[in-house]
């Protein structure tokens, strides 16, 4: 990523756009006699980065495909950029960017050539700030592929190909971008660059980004809000920090006393440590306090769901969401 890359991403002037870019209420999906989604609800605001997490088979792909307009739902309300995706026309589609799995065709094409070719398919829709495809040179800079501009696509590494996928996804300056497992197979540096790009798209262009990932660390680093889908509904919705506070024993305290190592899970780590020192003072050594992580929350919720406590988890999530808004 170069110093000048930010210049290529001017901010949007779409002030008259609706506040909620995505609105989902009581979304239900049934395949045959199997209910996969039984009342999904959430909203995404302009410029927000949301990560949708959940175990395999939870219905993430189904939800995303419904939002993208590729799948008809059984029932419920869905609005994406103010439109029901199932009836979204070409102009609506040009405001939405989708990064699917890697671009496998056109292996003999050169990177720049493909982007220039795709830019010709751009459909104008009337927003003066966004109503033109990105200039290819600037786009190559933004995704860190400037040096590979004249390379054939089949010679790119996995990470470079993924960046090309993203370049294709953001070519039309979408207001909403769907990213499916965006950094699978990236090396750490490519991942960091990619995270920078996502943050710039969200912060400088107010692009709303909805990503799915299996990588909790990535979700924590990238997302303003994390949605956990389990048991047919959203069982948690909040920042990683807000979610971590939901784990009952959200701090793990470890210490040594009298040559023995102790571990204790406490709802309030600070209060527990204070008590510990009041009671044992200088006998306590090697103190470690670990706050609950997103992984703890995720495992807790998914486990609660799997052991038949989904209703409790959903009720807790609703209560939590109520308290946070
Ligand atoms: P995820 O992306 O969270 O892994 P999916 O949305 O792919 O979940 O799938 C959710 C459930 O719906 C799975 O049990 C899957 O087998 C089922 N499913 C997905 N698509 C179809 C389909 N077209 N017909 C029938 N069942 C489907």
């Amino acid at each position: 990523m170069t110093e000048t890359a930010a210049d290529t991403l001017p901010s949007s002037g779409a002030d008259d756009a609706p506040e909620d870019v995505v609105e989902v209420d009581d979304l239900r999906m049934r395949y045959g006699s199997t209910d996969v989604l039984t009342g999904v609800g959430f909203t995404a605001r302009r410029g927000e980065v949301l990560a949708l997490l959940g175990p395999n088979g939870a219905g993430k792909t189904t939800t995303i495909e419904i939002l993208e307009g590729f799948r008809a739902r059984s029932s419920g309300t869905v609005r994406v950029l103010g439109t029901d995706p199932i009836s979204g026309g070409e102009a609506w589609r040009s405001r939405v960017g989708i990064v699917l799995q890697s671009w496998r065709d056109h292996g003999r094409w050169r990177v720049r050539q493909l982007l220039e070719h795709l830019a010709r398919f751009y459909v104008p829709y009337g927003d003066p700030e966004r109503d033109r495809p990105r200039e290819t040179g600037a786009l190559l800079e933004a995704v860190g592929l400037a040096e590979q501009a004249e390379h054939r696509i089949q010679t790119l590494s996995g990470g470079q190909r993924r960046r090309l996928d993203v370049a294709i996804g953001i070519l039309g300056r979408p207001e909403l971008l769907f990213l499916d497992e965006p950094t699978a197979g990236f090396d750490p540096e490519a991942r960091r660059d990619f995270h920078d790009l996502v943050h710039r798209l969200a912060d400088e262009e107010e692009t709303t980004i909805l990503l799915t990932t299996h990588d909790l660390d990535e979700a924590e680093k990238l997302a303003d809000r994390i949605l956990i889908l389990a048991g047919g509904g959203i069982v948690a919705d909040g920042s990683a920090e807000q979610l971590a506070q939901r784990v009952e024993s959200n701090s793990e305290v470890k210490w040594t006393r009298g040559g023995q190592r102790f571990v204790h899970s406490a709802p309030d780590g600070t209060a527990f440590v204070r008590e510990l020192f009041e009671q044992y003072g200088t006998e306590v050594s090697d103190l470690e306090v670990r706050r609950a992580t997103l992984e703890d929350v995720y495992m807790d919720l998914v486990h609660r769901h799997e052991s038949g406590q989904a209703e409790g988890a959903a009720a807790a999530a609703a209560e939590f969401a109520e308290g946070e808004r």
Side-chain angles (χ1 to χ4, degrees):
M1 210 60 59
T2 68
E3 289 288 313
T4 56
D7 296 338
T8 66
L9 303 174
S11 67
S12 149
D15 292 337
D16 55 347
E19 181 72 2
D20 282 332
V21 173
V22 176
E23 297 171 76
V24 178
D25 187 37
D26 199 24
L27 170 62
R28 291 165 188 266
M29 186 69 195
R30 164 176 277 210
Y31 291 115
S33 58
T34 310
D35 290 311
V36 173
L37 305 177
T38 55
V40 168
F42 66 92
T43 57
R45 287 180 288 274
R46 185 162 292 280
E48 240 183 344
V49 180
L50 266 65
L52 182 62
L53 306 179
N56 284 335
K60 300 181 295 296
T61 308
T62 298
T63 304
I64 298 290
E65 286 178 355
I66 290 169
L67 297 181
E68 291 169 343
F70 291 141
R71 195 172 279 281
R73 60 193 181 271
S74 301
S75 68
T77 308
V78 179
R79 290 281 175 277
V80 172
L81 296 164
T83 295
D84 185 336
I86 208 66
S87 53
E90 272 200 343
W92 174 80
R93 189 151 292 287
S94 74
R95 299 166 65 193
V96 176
I98 298 177
V99 177
L100 298 169
Q101 295 307 319
S102 265
W103 188 268
R104 284 174 227 288
D105 303 327
H106 299 76
R108 296 174 61 80
W109 287 46
R110 298 185 193 277
V111 172
R112 181 197 302 277
Q113 188 187 18
L114 176 67
L115 293 175
E116 284 175 350
H117 175 70
L118 292 174
R120 288 190 208 111
F121 291 104
Y122 184 80
V123 178
Y125 63 92
D127 178 335
E129 283 295 323
R130 294 182 186 249
D131 216 352
R132 63 205 140 85
R134 279 182 215 278
E135 192 268 310
T136 309
L139 181 58
L140 288 165
E141 283 285 336
V143 300
L145 283 178
E147 282 175 28
Q148 288 76 28
E150 305 310 329
H151 292 195
R152 289 191 196 279
I153 292 168
Q154 64 199 11
T155 67
L156 298 181
S157 70
Q160 289 167 345
R161 226 175 238 231
R162 203 72 191 116
R163 288 193 241 170
L164 177 59
D165 296 335
V166 174
I168 294 166
I170 66 172
L171 181 71
R173 304 176 195 269
E175 290 168 63
L176 171 65
L177 181 64
F178 291 100
L179 295 174
D180 183 17
E181 296 280 334
T183 60
F186 275 32
D187 64 37
E189 197 191 341
R191 226 167 88 104
R192 210 175 34 241
D193 285 349
F194 179 79
H195 287 185
D196 286 347
L197 173 63
V198 167
H199 287 305
R200 275 191 291 127
L201 287 168
D203 296 344
E204 294 170 19
E205 296 199 24
E206 292 199 293
T207 308
T208 306
I209 297 171
L210 185 51
L211 62 106
T212 59
T213 178
H214 279 106
D215 184 337
L216 297 178
D217 180 55
E218 172 154 283
E220 194 159 0
K221 286 210 174 80
L222 273 184
D224 301 311
R225 260 168 65 212
I226 290 165
L227 307 174
I228 301 179
L229 181 62
I234 302 290
V235 296
D237 178 347
S239 67
E241 199 169 313
Q242 287 168 339
L243 263 47
Q245 286 166 3
R246 288 194 38 206
V247 177
E248 238 168 69
S249 302
N250 70 50
S251 297
E252 188 180 71
V253 185
K254 292 183 182 178
W255 70 97
T256 302
R257 189 171 71 82
Q260 221 185 321
R261 193 79 180 140
F262 296 90
V263 183
H264 180 78
S265 290
D268 180 346
T270 312
F272 181 81
V273 168
R274 203 175 288 128
E275 268 178 47
L276 189 68
F277 276 93
E278 270 168 21
Q279 202 165 343
Y280 299 110
T282 53
E283 290 175 43
V284 175
S285 62
D286 291 333
L287 180 75
E288 271 179 63
V289 182
R290 191 182 73 92
R291 292 289 305 270
T293 61
L294 181 59
E295 186 174 347
D296 296 325
V297 184
Y298 180 82
M299 296 312 284
D300 183 53
L301 282 166
V302 170
H303 179 75
R304 270 159 78 174
H305 161 69
E306 282 169 355
S307 56
Q309 294 177 27
E311 280 178 25
E319 209 175 285
F320 167 77
E322 196 69 14
E324 289 301 324
R325 270 137 207 244

